[in-house]
Amino acid sequence: MIFLGGLAAILPDATRAQPKQKIYRIGYLSAPSRESVRRILDAFLQKLRELGWIEGTNISIEYRWADGDIARLPQLAAELVQSNVDLIVAPAVSAAVAARNATSRIPIVMVFTVEPVELGLVSSLSRPGGNVTGTTFTAAAGFVGKLLETLKQAVPEVGKVGVLGNSADPAFNSQMGELDAAAASLGIQLQRFDVSGPEQLDALFSALAAQQIDAVVLTSSPTFGPYRNKVAELAIKGRLPMIASHREFSEAGTLLSYGVNMSDFVSRSAVYVDKILRGAQPADLAVEQPTRYELVINLKTAKALGINISPLALARADEVIE
């Protein structure tokens, strides 16, 4: 009895003496709204859980949402740096650039960026060399031009195409360069329209009609993500075939989308978070590129627009929405 009593007396002290598990603080810097990327975020968090990282147990996540306003990203990035998070996750190139401009110390996992070498985010894809690594949205230069080629294949009669983008996006100029090159080879006339927020959308589509635009290419800017339903509705109302780089737009009603399946590919970014939290250095982790793109065609929209999709495009489609 004396022994048991002594053991009971010391057990509480021994329990208290055990070291607590560290909770790593992750900053999540996103240009769109949370609702607009919910499926992608859920897939990312699910992969983290599979790798052993659970919110409230060994990680906490501080979210910063720009709600489509790219101009807010530098301030949101500064907030995360000032709060001294252990790592920053930055989906889209605008978020990655804002995070890299805010810190050269905190590891950054970029997600779905374009041209990370050209924009100075990494020294090379194989050896990033700094505090940034992660995944890219494109496998090689020229992807944005493929959007125009796919649009032309699906709707051969298009001749004058409007390009919607946000000039505040760091990648917009390079995307326009790729589109100009593709347009020259396809005999298409391009007209650029700069969009910084949703308040411009109604006037924008009126301008497209006034300029007699035949179809629209939506650049991969996070400005449009939170408003994809409205963008799709306006395109149908204006009888404009539209192609975007995210399948979520075709699901919302745009005619076409061509790009990486972000919900599938985002799990690769969670692997980078796992490696870095376990001690790896971003400088040594090669940037991963997608190996597959998918073409989604919305035939309900084609019917609403009164157009027939070419058999060649239909044969290429990975998914047809009917």
Side-chain angles (χ1 to χ4, degrees):
M1 295 294 294
I2 295 174
F3 171 75
L4 290 174
L7 182 61
I10 65 172
L11 273 176
D13 289 335
T15 301
R16 285 195 296 269
Q18 292 176 357
K20 293 183 178 180
Q21 184 178 17
K22 178 175 179 178
I23 297 180
Y24 291 91
R25 297 171 60 242
I26 297 173
Y28 193 94
L29 178 66
S30 182
S33 65
R34 181 171 189 142
E35 185 58 36
S36 69
V37 295
R38 182 173 298 278
R39 181 168 59 187
I40 298 165
L41 177 61
D42 287 347
F44 175 75
L45 296 176
Q46 176 59 35
K47 185 61 177 182
L48 283 181
R49 286 191 291 269
E50 293 172 6
L51 294 168
W53 301 104
I54 302 169
E55 282 190 87
T57 300
N58 51 12
I59 60 169
S60 65
I61 302 180
E62 295 191 23
Y63 295 97
R64 296 293 187 275
W65 304 98
D67 295 328
D69 186 356
I70 292 174
R72 294 181 57 203
L73 287 170
Q75 177 57 40
L76 297 177
E79 290 176 10
L80 291 174
V81 172
Q82 290 164 8
S83 67
N84 202 30
V85 294
D86 295 295
L87 179 147
I88 296 175
V89 175
V93 66
S94 52
V97 169
R100 178 61 183 85
N101 288 342
T103 180
S104 58
R105 172 182 59 85
I106 299 172
I108 298 168
V109 174
M110 59 184 180
V111 186
F112 309 136
T113 59
V114 296
E115 300 186 339
V117 176
E118 291 80 356
L119 292 170
L121 290 168
V122 296
S123 297
S124 71
L125 297 181
S126 59
R127 298 285 294 181
N131 66 320
V132 182
T133 188
T135 63
T136 70
F137 186 74
T138 58
F143 165 77
V144 181
K146 293 290 185 183
L147 292 177
L148 193 59
E149 292 175 17
T150 302
L151 173 65
K152 181 69 171 177
Q153 184 184 67
V155 191
E157 60 269 23
V158 299
K160 188 175 182 181
V161 175
V163 180
L164 310 190
N166 187 341
S167 60
D169 193 313
F172 185 45
N173 286 334
S174 63
Q175 291 184 64
M176 281 304 308
E178 292 186 15
L179 286 168
D180 286 336
S185 66
L186 295 167
I188 289 176
Q189 179 184 350
L190 290 185
Q191 187 160 341
R192 166 177 166 172
F193 296 85
D194 196 2
V195 187
S196 60
E199 68 282 354
Q200 298 174 315
L201 289 174
D202 289 303
L204 166 70
F205 277 85
S206 295
L208 293 173
Q211 295 294 328
Q212 297 183 319
I213 298 296
D214 298 324
V216 173
V217 170
L218 201 64
T219 61
S220 57
S221 172
T223 300
F224 303 107
Y227 314 104
R228 57 179 176 262
N229 289 323
K230 181 172 183 178
V231 169
E233 290 170 5
L234 288 170
I236 293 172
K237 182 180 178 181
R239 304 187 68 79
L240 289 167
M242 177 182 287
I243 187 168
S245 56
H246 303 162
R247 66 172 292 125
E248 287 78 7
F249 281 88
S250 280
E251 292 170 351
T254 61
L255 180 66
L256 306 162
S257 65
Y258 179 70
V260 65
N261 186 317
M262 297 191 297
S263 295
D264 290 344
F265 193 54
V266 73
S267 63
R268 302 304 307 157
S269 302
V271 172
Y272 283 88
V273 173
D274 173 64
K275 289 180 177 180
I276 292 170
L277 293 184
R278 297 185 191 280
Q281 296 299 312
D284 302 324
L285 298 176
V287 175
E288 185 168 346
Q289 299 170 282
T291 58
R292 179 178 178 273
Y293 297 126
E294 62 178 16
L295 171 62
V296 180
I297 300 176
N298 192 319
L299 286 185
K300 291 191 294 186
T301 298
K303 183 177 180 180
L305 295 174
I307 61 175
N308 294 315
I309 302 295
S310 75
L312 283 175
L314 287 171
R316 280 183 55 200
D318 297 279
E319 182 177 341
V320 174
I321 299 173
E322 298 186 87

